[in-house]
Amino acid sequence: MSAHLFAPYTLRGLTLRNRIVMSPMCMYSAESDGCATEWHLVHLGARAVGGCGLIITEATAVEPRGRISENDLGLWDDAQIAPLARIVDFCHAHGAAVGIQLAHAGRKAFSRARGFGPQPIVAPSAIPFAEGWATPHALTVDEIEALIAAWQAAARRALQAGFDVVEIHSAHGYLLNEFLSPISNHRTDEYGGDLWGRARLLFRIVEAVRAVWPEEKPLFVRISATDWVEGGLQVEDFVQLAPELQRRGVDVIDCSSGGITPTPPPPDVVGAGYQTPFAARIRQATGVPTMAVGLITAPEQADHIVRTGQADLVALGRELLRDPHWPLRAAHTLGYDVDWPRQYERARPLR
């Protein structure tokens, strides 16, 4: 049978039971030390019970100043491994693979200048995110080297915790997106200038993570395929970058958009599956596997994305907050026979 939403999908040594992915979403529920809590266990574990093929944690900071809020997850310290490993073990026991999104918020991190936070924010250039936001410190080359090492160390800890996938967060106006975008990167050294200079840090982090991330485990990168502002990144930039990311060991491009400025997408653009064309364009132009995300809510819609080759994986966010068992319901709607948790068998709909 041709590819469909409930067809298994193999990446390197990992086979997902279906193409449904829980998109990373911040829960603002971590301890102040960045450790996962009972909330994360129940929240992520419920989606494993509910039938997701892959669950990706919220943005997990590679250093304390890289958190979006003071209650975001972190993986800069060995003490943060065990609470995450408990979640991974539970999800594995219920058939789901688990990924971790490693991130740095850059100039959008919480900071003392905005009323809270331990230290100044950092960015490629000393350009604030918006009026009223702090002006970030422009990272030096030595500081960039330290950040690359932080990403690599976090990937080592992710391996110790048992994760199946690492996703590098290079979207939504956070640090790596800031380096990529000409809106926020005005550097004149090797980390600025043209697209290839602005992509240098992302390439180096991919290489550093892949150096410690086992060959049999997949590596994803999340991008903002457009900045939604004139002069910013566009999907054609990623048509150029995707093959180079793949050559460095990236297996899937997770295609989101926006966030480099407060400017939202045009109202006439936003609608069901409005970001899917980005995933389709990159996949069809380069052959690099992609993941679609953004206002994907209906089983038929998600299935159509896979069947028509627009993306290899479909990520759901808010819809999985509304319905943790969306995959089980979708399988019934689409007529696919999937395993239900034995504890829930009595609630399984009749054909």
Side-chain angles (χ1 to χ4, degrees):
M1 183 178 291
S2 62
H4 56 79
L5 191 63
F6 285 90
Y9 187 56
T10 298
L11 288 164
R12 296 183 184 256
L14 176 67
T15 297
L16 305 177
R17 60 184 169 183
N18 57 50
R19 311 298 183 95
I20 302 167
V21 180
M22 181 177 181
S23 192
M25 293 173 282
C26 288
M27 292 289 104
Y28 310 110
S29 299
E31 302 289 358
S32 59
D33 59 4
C35 285
T37 66
E38 298 293 303
W39 170 265
H40 297 93
L41 174 64
V42 173
H43 167 64
L44 298 171
R47 277 71 192 176
V49 172
C52 285
L54 172 64
I55 294 163
I56 304 179
T57 69
E58 66 190 68
T60 302
V62 300
E63 64 169 12
R65 67 179 173 176
R67 286 175 287 176
I68 300 165
S69 83
E70 60 187 335
N71 293 113
D72 280 13
L73 292 178
L75 200 49
W76 64 79
D77 188 275
D78 288 352
Q80 295 159 336
I81 297 171
L84 290 170
R86 183 183 179 209
I87 294 167
V88 171
D89 289 346
F90 181 89
C91 292
H92 282 168
H94 293 277
V98 194
I100 186 166
Q101 187 186 69
L102 297 181
H104 194 296
R107 67 181 186 175
K108 292 174 77 173
F110 74 104
S111 68
R112 181 176 291 116
R114 293 187 62 216
F116 57 106
Q119 52 198 319
I121 54 176
V122 298
S125 303
I127 303 170
F129 171 63
E131 185 178 351
W133 286 61
T135 298
H137 162 69
L139 288 159
T140 67
V141 171
D142 286 346
E143 289 169 333
I144 288 172
E145 293 295 331
L147 272 174
I148 294 168
W151 244 284
Q152 186 176 70
R156 285 196 183 98
R157 294 187 183 99
L159 181 60
Q160 289 179 259
F163 285 98
D164 305 292
V165 172
V166 160
E167 177 169 272
I168 295 171
H169 197 354
S170 186
H172 301 161
Y174 300 124
L175 186 65
L176 295 185
N177 189 188
E178 291 163 22
F179 269 87
L180 277 174
S181 177
I183 301 298
S184 48
N185 184 344
H186 292 185
R187 298 175 76 98
T188 57
D189 64 4
E190 65 267 37
Y191 290 99
D194 65 11
L195 177 63
W196 302 105
R198 300 194 311 271
R200 186 182 301 275
L201 179 56
L202 175 58
F203 287 162
R204 291 200 59 201
I205 287 172
V206 166
E207 291 165 353
V209 169
R210 185 42 91 186
V212 299
W213 193 240
E215 179 68 22
E216 69 273 13
K217 288 180 179 279
L219 177 62
F220 292 16
V221 169
R222 172 165 267 198
I223 63 166
S224 280
T226 176
D227 286 334
W228 296 116
V229 293
E230 185 176 354
L233 291 167
Q234 301 295 333
V235 69
E236 294 307 311
D237 294 316
F238 293 98
V239 169
Q240 295 184 65
L241 293 175
E244 288 301 312
L245 289 167
Q246 185 182 56
R247 189 170 68 80
R248 288 166 169 84
V250 172
D251 300 289
V252 173
I253 307 295
D254 177 2
C255 300
S256 190
S257 70
I260 203 68
T261 72
T263 305
D268 60 339
V269 169
V270 177
Y274 74 104
Q275 295 178 148
T276 301
F278 302 136
R281 172 61 184 153
I282 292 168
R283 186 182 189 272
Q284 291 162 9
T286 68
V288 178
T290 60
M291 180 157 69
V293 66
L295 294 183
I296 299 169
T297 59
E300 298 85 354
Q301 174 194 15
D303 193 45
H304 178 76
I305 290 168
V306 175
R307 283 186 177 275
T308 54
Q310 296 178 74
D312 301 272
L313 297 168
V314 175
L316 281 71
R318 291 175 178 85
E319 190 64 16
L320 277 168
L321 297 184
R322 289 186 279 264
D323 181 1
H325 306 106
W326 188 93
L328 299 180
R329 179 171 60 81
H332 177 71
T333 298
L334 296 170
Y336 294 116
D337 186 21
V338 300
D339 291 335
W340 274 54
R342 62 173 178 80
Q343 297 91 339
Y344 290 179
E345 275 287 350
R346 74 189 73 177
R348 186 175 186 141
L350 298 175
R351 287 192 178 279

